[in-house]
Amino acid sequence: MTTSAAPSPAPRRIVLIAGPSGSGKGVMTRRSGLPLVPLDEFYRDEDDPSLPRRFGIVDWDDVSSWNVGAALEALTALAHDGAADIPDYSISASRRVGTRRLEVGAEPLIVAEGIFAAELIAPLAAAGLLVDALVLDRPAPLVFGTRLTRDLLEARKGALTLVRRGWALAGEQPADVERWKRAGMRPVGLREGVRTLHALRDLALAERHHRGTASAPQVLRIAAVCFLREGPTGIELLAVRKRGTGSYMQVGGKLEPGERAVDAAVREVIEELDVVLEPEDLELLGLFEEEAANEPGTLVEASVFLAPLDSLPRDVTVQAELEDVLWCPLGQAPPGRRLAPLMTRRIVPRLQELLG
């Protein structure tokens, strides 16, 4: 068994803020001085055929217009690595018009705000990254006025469309706030919210200093499979991202009771890629111990196997619990994506050693 690496620095914590469009979520965060991730930047482009519509335009208040997976990826990278690429989304053009690099340095707390913030409560809590979730609750007439003023100044859409949309949202605001509260978000006013953010930053800073007192980590036994292919610039390694997580890793999963690691590897490949391999097709790359990517305070004991070169179709598709797939040039992390510690610290160095 390869000995585990030194523990990574404590990840930054995340506070989520929801509230009606135009209620002042961004203002509250700017007054706190904390790094801000505007979740509105993760809307889908207008030419996406699945986008919902209302009032003759894309319904920006329907969660299906928003890319929760991309938001989760960026927040996970910020929490662990301190930097991520954030889309620059134009509401008036209804599409992404660029990206910007957000770097948060040593700041222990990050704010993510938007009307869909509640969608991130469960995955961020499961990853040990969530410190709190707030909903900004202000009077509906005030919010209607500030929202309309903002939208008109930014020429987001035609004036009549903005008035109709704003009037409808004002009527829906009480129910929306109750829904956010039921999801586990604490209601705050603007000034109270700023004070709360300052207190949460102090808490996150204290937790970082006291991380060394944590109890012994849980250990998970897993099997994983490395798929390689010849890419345009050399050998590429397959990485996948599971639904509700922000890190990429190899195909694989936990061993069932009494199951051999190689049999678990074959089973996971069938479940996640719909590809059938035989146990004799797989070569043991190594036995590794490393920090888990998505479970806080957990180590993985991984039996990692190597599949034959080019054993997957060129346009591999994912299923089951997987949401995304990418091919990474060996030894070169794709920008804006977080790769699991097992992959970066163990698997890639072993493959580079093996392949010369």
Side-chain angles (χ1 to χ4, degrees):
M1 174 73 68
T2 303
T3 57
S4 64
S8 301
R12 297 155 187 83
R13 303 295 294 279
I14 297 169
V15 57
L16 296 171
I17 299 178
S21 174
S23 59
K25 302 182 293 296
V27 172
M28 186 172 79
T29 305
R30 286 191 291 274
R31 289 183 182 179
S32 75
L34 292 168
L36 170 64
V37 178
L39 296 176
D40 287 356
E41 304 290 7
F42 295 92
Y43 277 116
R44 302 181 187 276
D45 287 348
E46 187 179 32
D47 53 7
D48 187 328
S50 66
L51 281 179
R53 294 186 173 272
R54 189 183 187 195
F55 305 120
I57 61 172
V58 172
D59 186 358
W60 307 117
D61 303 291
D62 187 316
V63 68
S64 59
S65 67
W66 187 66
N67 191 335
V68 61
L72 186 57
E73 276 189 53
L75 290 173
T76 301
L78 281 170
H80 288 277
D81 304 327
D85 292 329
I86 307 299
D88 181 11
Y89 196 94
S90 169
I91 293 292
S92 59
S94 301
R95 66 178 56 254
R96 296 185 183 193
V97 294
T99 59
R100 63 183 176 89
R101 188 72 170 170
L102 176 60
E103 298 182 356
V104 299
E107 181 60 58
L109 187 66
I110 301 163
V111 176
E113 64 86 4
I115 62 173
F116 303 127
E119 302 296 319
L120 295 168
I121 291 177
L124 289 178
L129 301 179
L130 183 68
V131 67
D132 208 343
L134 310 174
V135 54
L136 184 55
D137 188 9
R138 306 180 77 190
L142 173 64
V143 174
F144 173 85
T146 57
R147 176 174 52 237
L148 183 60
T149 300
R150 177 202 66 188
D151 292 349
L152 289 172
L153 288 174
E154 296 180 4
R156 291 190 167 195
K157 298 295 175 186
L160 180 59
T161 296
L162 293 175
V163 170
R164 291 172 58 202
R165 173 178 177 268
W167 187 258
L169 293 179
E172 297 166 359
Q173 180 172 321
D176 288 339
V177 171
E178 286 302 314
R179 173 171 51 81
W180 284 314
K181 289 162 64 175
R182 288 195 302 271
M185 308 191 90
R186 295 194 292 126
V188 294
L190 185 61
R191 292 181 181 178
E192 179 190 1
V194 174
R195 292 194 297 270
T196 299
L197 290 176
H198 287 153
L200 290 172
R201 183 189 184 279
D202 292 340
L203 175 62
L205 196 59
E207 287 181 343
R208 176 173 286 187
H209 290 322
H210 290 85
R211 189 186 188 214
T213 63
S215 58
Q218 178 184 0
V219 178
L220 298 177
R221 294 185 62 230
I222 69 169
V225 181
C226 297
F227 289 97
L228 302 175
R229 74 174 187 184
E230 288 282 358
T233 60
I235 296 294
E236 296 178 334
L237 174 62
L238 181 73
V240 298
R241 180 173 60 81
K242 297 185 178 183
R243 190 172 292 105
T245 69
S247 300
Y248 285 81
M249 60 190 64
Q250 273 55 63
V251 172
K254 302 173 187 175
L255 273 64
E256 295 180 350
E259 187 177 31
R260 294 190 308 162
V262 69
D263 294 329
V266 170
R267 173 177 54 78
E268 291 288 345
V269 171
I270 294 173
E271 292 176 359
E272 297 183 355
L273 300 180
D274 195 25
V275 171
V276 178
L277 296 175
E278 298 298 331
E280 54 268 25
D281 295 332
L282 299 177
E283 174 187 347
L284 182 65
L285 183 68
L287 304 174
F288 306 107
E289 183 179 280
E290 192 50 80
E291 289 183 279
N294 298 318
E295 295 86 359
T298 302
L299 294 176
V300 292
E301 290 183 354
S303 300
V304 181
F305 298 91
L306 181 61
L309 186 66
D310 289 323
S311 56
L312 289 180
R314 300 300 290 183
D315 297 322
V316 62
T317 57
V318 297
Q319 55 186 27
E321 60 185 352
L322 299 187
E323 186 171 47
D324 196 13
V325 58
L326 59 85
W327 288 94
C328 308
L330 200 60
Q332 178 183 340
R337 309 292 177 90
R338 181 181 185 254
L339 305 180
L342 176 64
M343 181 176 176
T344 58
R345 299 177 185 172
R346 302 298 179 187
I347 293 175
V348 168
R350 180 69 183 101
L351 286 171
Q352 290 175 323
E353 177 186 336
L354 182 66
L355 300 175

